[in-house]
């Protein structure tokens, strides 16, 4: 980790690795960018799996991984308690199923926001639907902590469809464009209204000053990231695509940068040919104890032991699916079926990925 000069709005930076560093109230951030080949009849990769540790494959062999899947890549059923998952899919599709009875196929700019609360089991599989062409998949999964008072709220399933997510367009003095995709937290001074986060999320409290944005700067573009509105807010900016970027005048590669949230900062894309892309996570810290054991995030060791006992006893409602790793068929149609059976049908075509 590199520490910058005291006057700089950049407090520190470190190169990006497999898991990205986060700041309270965020717990985890992973960027999956897999160059999957064409699919086979079972919606898995039409390619040999030899040399992979099936069931635990994070190898990125040939540019992709099976993760915990054995036929279709992805993450078969696993439990969570005490936090939220925010899954931003930029390319490809994810098949979701959970112990609430909810199911979804989403992607191409969609976002799923799942409050685990007192406990949920879900699967996230990556069906390879195109049998003739490659099936690229790119997503962020972000874990957002829940306040102690809301650790045991009922689980809540939320979908943000790409066409409903607000985007802020701006141009610099040379007419070069920046697009900010606003998943949570409106930029100061902007008139757009973000979609409502789940009701018990820290993001649902205005004083949290929580924001989740992606930014795309056109070649040569300049953009001023405004100062955060709240006192005590912390801000992390991840530069993950493009070259020749300067942040507050400093040349940076692909890196995680902790910024002084109370200061504005200029972003410059120095490339004449390539867009530059960023993810921003910010919020006022919860400032509460964090005790994590795998998929459970609580405030005390005793609560972790309780979570383990509850999961062994109840399986958080059980698994209502006949398949241990459900996928939703060969049709690329995006949809969501919510707990209780209410369905969303998403008009096609999907918006291009952000």
């Amino acid at each position: 980790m590199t520490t910058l000069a005291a006057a700089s709005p950049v407090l520190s930076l470190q190169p990006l690795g497999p898991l990205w560093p986060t700041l309270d109230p965020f717990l985890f951030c992973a960027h999956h960018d897999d160059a999957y080949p064409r699919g086979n009849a079972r919606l898995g990769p039409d390619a040999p799996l030899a040399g992979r540790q099936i069931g635990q494959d994070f190898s990125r062999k040939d540019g992709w991984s099976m993760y915990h899947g054995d036929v279709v890549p992805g993450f078969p059923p696993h439990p969570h308690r005490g936090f939220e998952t925010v899954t931003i899919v930029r390319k490809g599709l994810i098949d979701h199923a959970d112990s609430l009875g909810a199911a979804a196929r989403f992607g191409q700019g969609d976002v799923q926001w799942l409050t685990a609360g007192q406990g949920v089991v879900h699967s996230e599989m990556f069906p390879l639907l195109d049998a003739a062409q490659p099936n690229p998949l790119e997503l962020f999964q972000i874990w957002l902590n829940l306040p102690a008072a809301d650790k045991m709220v009922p689980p809540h399933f939320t979908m943000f469809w790409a066409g409903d997510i607000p985007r802020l367009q701006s141009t610099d003095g040379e007419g070069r464009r920046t697009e900010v995709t606003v998943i949570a937290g409106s930029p100061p001074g902007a008139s757009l209204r973000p979609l409502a986060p789940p009701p018990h999320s820290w993001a649902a409290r205005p004083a949290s000053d929580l924001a989740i944005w992606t930014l795309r700067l056109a070649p040569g573009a300049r953009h001023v990231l405004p100062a955060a509105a709240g006192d005590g807010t912390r801000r992390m900016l991840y530069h993950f695509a493009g070259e020749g970027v300067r942040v507050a005048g400093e040349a940076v590669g692909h890196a995680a940068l902790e910024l002084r949230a109370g200061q504005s900062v200029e972003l410059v894309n120095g490339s004449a040919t390539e867009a530059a892309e960023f993810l921003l996570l910010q919020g006022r810290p919860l400032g509460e104890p964090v005790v994590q054991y795998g998929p459970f995030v609580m405030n005390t060791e005793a609560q972790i032991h309780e979570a383990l006992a509850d999961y062994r006893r109840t399986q958080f409602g059980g698994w209502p699916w006949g398949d241990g790793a459900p996928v939703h068929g060969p049709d690329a149609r995006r949809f969501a079926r919510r707990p209780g059976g209410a369905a969303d049908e998403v008009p096609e075509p999907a918006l291009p990925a952000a």
Side-chain angles (χ1 to χ4, degrees):
M1 182 172 67
T2 302
T3 302
L4 280 297
S8 173
V10 181
L11 291 169
S12 65
L13 67 84
Q14 55 187 299
L16 294 180
L19 297 179
W20 295 358
T22 55
L23 301 169
D24 183 6
F26 296 95
L27 300 161
F28 171 91
C29 183
H31 181 215
H32 295 278
D33 190 3
D34 288 281
Y36 289 115
R38 66 185 185 182
N40 61 25
R42 301 176 69 188
L43 307 184
D46 187 16
L49 300 183
R52 298 177 182 272
Q53 187 178 349
I54 297 304
Q56 187 74 25
D57 173 38
F58 290 77
S59 65
R60 290 200 53 79
K61 184 175 182 288
D62 301 323
W64 52 275
S65 299
M66 289 294 291
Y67 301 106
H68 296 303
D70 55 8
V71 175
V72 174
F75 297 87
H78 54 282
H80 292 303
R81 173 179 277 186
F83 64 99
E84 301 182 286
T85 62
V86 182
T87 306
I88 306 167
V89 186
R90 291 161 50 86
K91 300 175 188 173
L93 294 166
I94 292 183
D95 279 359
H96 166 92
D98 67 36
S99 55
L100 308 175
R105 172 166 284 172
F106 65 100
Q108 308 298 349
D110 301 327
V111 176
Q112 184 197 71
W113 197 319
L114 183 66
T115 304
Q118 64 191 14
V120 69
V121 178
H122 74 152
S123 66
E124 304 156 289
M125 306 308 296
F126 309 153
L128 308 184
L129 301 184
D130 195 328
Q133 303 291 333
N135 289 269
L137 176 79
E138 184 187 3
L139 65 93
F140 298 111
Q141 185 159 100
I142 299 157
W143 291 12
L144 173 61
N145 205 2
L146 282 168
D150 293 324
K151 290 284 191 187
M152 296 294 285
V153 297
H156 193 278
F157 172 91
T158 301
M159 287 301 311
F160 290 175
W161 300 111
D164 298 329
I165 297 171
R167 289 168 170 79
L168 180 66
Q169 308 278 350
S170 65
T171 55
D172 62 18
E174 302 296 323
R176 298 184 177 99
R177 191 176 74 170
T178 293
E179 181 176 82
V180 181
T181 300
V182 178
I183 296 156
S186 181
S191 59
L192 58 78
R193 182 183 296 272
L195 300 174
H200 291 282
S201 177
W202 185 234
R205 306 184 188 194
S208 72
D209 198 24
L210 194 131
I212 303 173
W213 308 334
T214 60
L215 299 90
R216 181 182 179 89
L217 277 65
R222 295 173 176 265
H223 179 75
V224 175
L225 193 63
D231 292 334
T233 299
R234 300 186 74 185
R235 173 180 278 183
M236 190 74 86
L237 181 71
Y238 308 90
H239 168 45
F240 66 91
E243 303 295 339
V245 161
R246 296 194 302 279
V247 177
E250 297 282 342
V252 300
H254 295 172
L257 302 94
E258 183 179 359
L259 304 179
R260 298 182 193 274
Q263 291 182 230
S264 62
V265 59
E266 184 182 53
L267 312 178
V268 178
N269 181 6
S271 172
T273 59
E274 192 175 11
E277 298 193 77
F278 302 84
L279 170 70
L280 179 136
L281 301 180
Q282 77 168 39
R284 183 164 62 85
L286 289 169
E288 298 175 347
V290 173
V291 181
Q292 180 175 353
Y293 182 83
F296 306 135
V297 181
M298 303 302 289
N299 300 109
T300 68
E301 292 282 355
Q303 291 169 341
I304 291 292
H305 293 312
E306 182 182 7
L308 289 165
D310 288 350
Y311 179 60
R312 283 193 292 265
R313 186 179 69 254
T314 69
Q315 297 294 294
F316 293 162
W319 189 246
W321 305 92
D323 192 326
V327 293
H328 302 318
D331 186 346
R333 174 180 59 92
R334 292 146 61 230
F335 75 95
R337 186 169 69 250
R338 299 170 184 277
D344 290 358
E345 296 290 341
V346 184
E348 297 292 351
L351 289 183

